[in-house]
């Protein structure tokens, strides 16, 4: 099984977890999301601890516990479960006295997952492409028509897209305009404000073909606009334009 042995040797119940996830790709995607969530969740735990907000502390501890169990970290999940119970019981003394144990458990998992994702079975490093759309059907369609040379990062709103941009090196972004929480134009504004707009090629995907929307989109240095519904051929041409973008730099 290659690098998966690293997890198994560290008491991660990978095989049992695969019965839930179904395939290794889905499992690994969730492992990475779990790892990438640690910083934010630990900050939230510390905030609620310091403010003696045991109720919200218990909610975060429950979240980490559940994810740890789904991913096979059963022994570590017991630590988070105990903190969840003590939070529900408003036992702030236990939380304060044992918070370092929780932090060390998270640090141990994070170290293991960093080692796991840094150990590659081949020398090929896939380039990250974000597909940001509030329709999973659209994301699935595009993902099925983008070859395996790329690693697809899924985002159902602009906030998720920005989170991916902060956490990863992004090769390209397929961006819907009308999304909840943060729309496509807000993502474009984020890229511009952070001097990324000319570094990350953006293809707009939208069902809004109004002149006003298209004109506004092209006020940013995007590569192209794909009006829904579009064909697989248009996706391939968009990928070629992205490759050309890097060749001309």
């Amino acid at each position: 099984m290659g690098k998966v042995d690293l997890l198994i040797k560290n008491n991660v119940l990978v095989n049992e977890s695969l019965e839930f996830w179904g395939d290794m790709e889905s499992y690994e995607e969730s492992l990475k999301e779990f790892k990438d969530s640690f910083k934010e969740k630990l900050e939230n735990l510390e905030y609620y601890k310091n403010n003696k907000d045991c109720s919200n502390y218990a909610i975060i501890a429950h979240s980490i516990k559940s994810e740890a169990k789904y991913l096979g970290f059963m022994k570590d999940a017991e630590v988070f479960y105990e903190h969840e119970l003590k939070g529900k019981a408003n036992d702030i003394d236990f939380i304060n006295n044992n918070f370092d144990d929780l932090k060390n458990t998270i640090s141990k998992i994070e170290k293991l997952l960093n080692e796991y994702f840094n150990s590659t079975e081949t020398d090929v490093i896939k380039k990250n492409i974000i597909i940001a759309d509030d329709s999973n059907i659209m994301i699935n369609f595009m993902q099925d028509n983008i070859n395996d040379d790329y690693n697809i990062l899924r985002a159902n709103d602009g906030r998720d897209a920005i989170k991916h941009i902060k956490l990863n090196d992004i090769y390209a972004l397929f961006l819907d305009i009308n999304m909840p929480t943060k729309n496509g134009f807000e993502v474009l504004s984020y890229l511009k404000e952070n001097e990324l707009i000319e570094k990350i090629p953006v293809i707009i995907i939208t069902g809004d073909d109004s002149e006003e929307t298209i004109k506004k989109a092209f006020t940013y240095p995007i590569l192209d606009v794909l009006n829904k519904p579009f064909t697989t051929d248009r996706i391939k041409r968009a990928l070629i334009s992205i490759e050309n973008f890097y060749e001309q730099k």
Side-chain angles (χ1 to χ4, degrees), residues 1 13 93 97 116 126 128 152 163 166 179 191 227:
M1 287 198 298
L13 305 182
D93 288 333
N97 292 334
Y116 176 81
K126 292 186 178 182
N128 294 314
I152 303 301
K163 186 181 295 186
K166 289 180 177 179
M179 295 185 293
L191 292 172
N227 291 114

Side-chain angles (χ1 to χ4, degrees), residues 15 17 21 38 52 54 79 83 117 122 137 163 170 172 185 192 202 206 219 221 224 227 230 233:
N15 293 328
S17 295
W21 294 104
F38 286 153
K52 299 181 179 180
C54 292
V79 175
H83 278 260
F117 284 108
T122 68
I137 292 175
K163 186 181 295 186
I170 304 303
F185 287 122
K192 183 176 181 180
V202 177
T206 182
T219 61
D224 200 357
N227 291 114
F230 46 82
D233 183 60

Side-chain angles (χ1 to χ4, degrees), residues 70-127:
Y70 290 143
L71 294 166
F73 294 83
M74 302 304 293
K75 291 188 67 175
D76 299 311
E78 294 175 6
V79 175
F80 306 129
Y81 180 53
E82 189 170 18
H83 278 260
E84 175 191 351
L85 293 178
K86 297 300 183 181
K88 290 178 177 178
N90 290 311
D91 191 345
I92 192 64
D93 288 333
F94 174 90
I95 291 171
N96 282 325
N97 292 334
N98 293 277
F99 192 71
D100 283 344
D101 183 36
L102 180 144
K103 286 175 64 177
N104 290 336
T105 301
I106 290 177
S107 178
K108 181 191 72 174
I109 298 173
E110 187 174 30
K111 181 179 179 181
L112 173 62
L113 292 181
N114 281 334
E115 184 178 353
Y116 176 81
F117 284 108
N118 286 332
S119 63
T120 57
E121 294 175 356
T122 68
D123 293 327
V124 176
I125 300 175
K126 292 186 178 182
K127 299 168 183 175

Side-chain angles (χ1 to χ4, degrees), residues 3-161:
K3 64 178 183 175
V4 176
D5 289 337
L6 176 66
L7 299 179
I8 295 173
K9 288 177 181 177
N10 283 274
N11 301 312
V12 182
L13 305 182
V14 176
N15 293 328
E16 290 82 347
S17 295
L18 286 175
E19 292 179 9
F20 174 79
W21 294 104
D23 58 74
M24 198 64 197
E25 182 178 358
S26 298
Y27 178 69
E28 284 195 332
E29 286 177 0
S30 297
L31 272 181
K32 191 173 189 306
E33 289 176 4
F34 184 49
K35 177 179 74 70
D36 291 342
S37 72
F38 286 153
K39 181 179 179 182
E40 180 180 358
K41 286 182 176 176
L42 192 56
E43 287 175 351
N44 287 336
L45 284 169
E46 195 144 20
Y47 174 83
Y48 293 131
K49 173 182 73 71
N50 293 339
N51 286 275
K52 299 181 179 180
D53 185 347
C54 292
S55 177
N56 279 313
Y57 184 93
I59 291 172
I60 302 299
H62 169 80
S63 173
I64 303 175
K65 175 209 72 177
S66 298
E67 292 175 354
K69 289 179 67 176
Y70 290 143
L71 294 166
F73 294 83
M74 302 304 293
K75 291 188 67 175
D76 299 311
E78 294 175 6
V79 175
F80 306 129
Y81 180 53
E82 189 170 18
H83 278 260
E84 175 191 351
L85 293 178
K86 297 300 183 181
K88 290 178 177 178
N90 290 311
D91 191 345
I92 192 64
D93 288 333
F94 174 90
I95 291 171
N96 282 325
N97 292 334
N98 293 277
F99 192 71
D100 283 344
D101 183 36
L102 180 144
K103 286 175 64 177
N104 290 336
T105 301
I106 290 177
S107 178
K108 181 191 72 174
I109 298 173
E110 187 174 30
K111 181 179 179 181
L112 173 62
L113 292 181
N114 281 334
E115 184 178 353
Y116 176 81
F117 284 108
N118 286 332
S119 63
T120 57
E121 294 175 356
T122 68
D123 293 327
V124 176
I125 300 175
K126 292 186 178 182
K127 299 168 183 175
N128 294 314
I129 291 181
I130 299 173
I131 304 175
D133 197 296
D134 57 347
S135 168
N136 283 322
I137 292 175
M138 176 56 65
I139 295 178
N140 291 339
F141 168 71
M142 295 194 66
Q143 186 168 1
D144 288 344
N145 286 281
I146 294 177
N147 64 47
D148 292 337
D149 292 340
Y150 302 103
N151 179 45
I152 303 301
L153 303 176
R154 302 166 66 98
N156 288 124
D157 56 43
R159 180 180 58 186
D160 288 343

